[in-house]
Every structure is written in C-alpha cells, then in structure tokens.
Amino acid sequence: TATTTTTTSTTTTLVAGGGMLIGDALAKQVSQGRTALIRALSEGNETKVATKIAGATLVVQKLMLADLVASGVERTPVEVDGSSIAVSVPVAAMLAQFGEDVAVAVVAFHQPAEAQVADDGTTVKVYGLLSIEMSTLSNPGIAQNVSGLAEPVLLTLNVPAAARLSCSYFDEQAQHW
C-alpha cells in the first residue's frame, strides 16, 4: 500500500546514506542529470525522458497543458518507471498558474535520509524522498514556484503505510522536516 500526500509547493531534500550526509555530491549529480534530461526533452520529440544515477532515479515529462484540457483530461500522472512513485498534476490548475506548457522533473531518491531534524528538534529518518520541480517549456531550466493551486498536486510515495510513520515535507526556510 502506498502512502499519498498532498502538497502545493515544491520541496528540496537532503539525502544521507549509511548515516553519512552525501547531499552535496548527490545534489550535483541530480542537478546535472536533471539539466541533461530537460535539454533532451526540449530538443527532441520525446514527451518523457528518464535516467538512473547512483542513489536516485530522475524523470522529466513534458505536459502539453492546453492540449490535455482540450481533451478533457483533469489530471495527468508523471510516473517513476519501475516503482509506485507518481506525481498527479491537476491540468487546468497548472494551466491557470503557468499559462503555458510545462516540464515536470521528479527525482526519487533510493535511500532514506538518516539523522534529519524535525520541527520539534528530534532526529528522524526520512523515507520516500522526492524532489519535484516544474518549469515552463519557454524557460525549461528555471524551476517555478507552485502555490495557491485550486487543486492539489498529489504525490504517491513508494513507502508502505506503517505505524509511527507520518507524511512530512522539508521546510526550506526553517531547514527542518
């Protein structure tokens, strides 16, 4: 069973492995991979491109929002192949926010983040880490802020529901979960 949560803003995650913070190296690989995928998507005829790097799977999907709305599509998924991870995008709400087609970049991290600090100061282990960025196709390398949508973006995580687990997001300003 997958846990589903709702968010109206993008999140940034720190990733740790084996109790050691590996965020900088992995963040650089993710950034380079995401840039290469966005470039490939904007230069070619593909609607979805993906790659795996050590520690994460990256997917970038082009959403032709006006065409989807005209076809009567209310939501469209951006799925991470080979997993149950998905980002369900409300098509009309995104078109209202951006006014044009978008690229949705999803990074699914393979390992939980160890020793993360929660808002109450306790140390927690974070599972199901995702990073999601949305950009317009006219400015594909510039992530846009997504907020105040009429409908939420739905996230499906690859984490089984279990006691003592709860959904959370990383507060970039406060620097805690």
Side-chain angles (χ1 to χ4, degrees):
T1 310
T3 303
T4 302
T5 189
T6 303
T7 185
T8 56
S9 63
T10 59
T11 61
T12 302
T13 55
L14 301 174
V15 179
M20 184 172 84
L21 187 64
I22 58 173
D24 291 341
L26 185 56
K28 183 176 181 180
Q29 288 180 326
V30 165
S31 178
Q32 291 170 342
R34 186 176 10 232
T35 299
L37 289 178
I38 289 172
R39 187 178 317 113
L41 191 69
S42 61
E43 292 173 356
N45 291 328
E46 296 89 5
T47 57
K48 182 179 178 181
V49 290
T51 192
K52 287 188 178 190
I53 61 172
T57 300
L58 293 76
V59 175
V60 179
Q61 186 168 321
K62 186 186 305 184
L63 301 182
M64 309 302 279
L65 297 172
D67 293 347
L68 290 167
V69 168
S71 299
V73 175
E74 293 181 11
R75 288 190 161 277
T76 192
V78 177
E79 298 172 331
V80 176
D81 297 334
S83 75
S84 61
I85 297 168
V87 177
S88 177
V89 179
V91 177
M94 294 303 288
L95 184 58
Q97 170 103 20
F98 292 111
E100 64 179 283
D101 299 330
V102 298
V104 179
V106 178
V107 180
F109 295 95
H110 300 158
Q111 298 297 318
E114 305 277 348
Q116 300 296 300
V117 179
D119 62 349
D120 63 1
T122 60
T123 301
V124 296
K125 187 174 189 176
V126 181
Y127 296 89
L129 294 169
L130 294 180
S131 173
I132 303 156
E133 289 186 2
M134 297 184 190
S135 58
T136 60
L137 291 183
S138 62
N139 239 338
I142 309 297
Q144 301 292 314
N145 182 38
V146 179
S147 62
L149 296 176
E151 297 175 63
V153 172
L154 301 176
L155 308 176
T156 302
L157 306 176
N158 201 24
V159 177
R164 300 187 57 206
L165 289 182
S166 62
C167 282
S168 245
Y169 66 94
F170 187 74
D171 184 326
E172 293 176 352
Q173 292 179 346
Q175 292 291 300
H176 62 70
W177 292 92

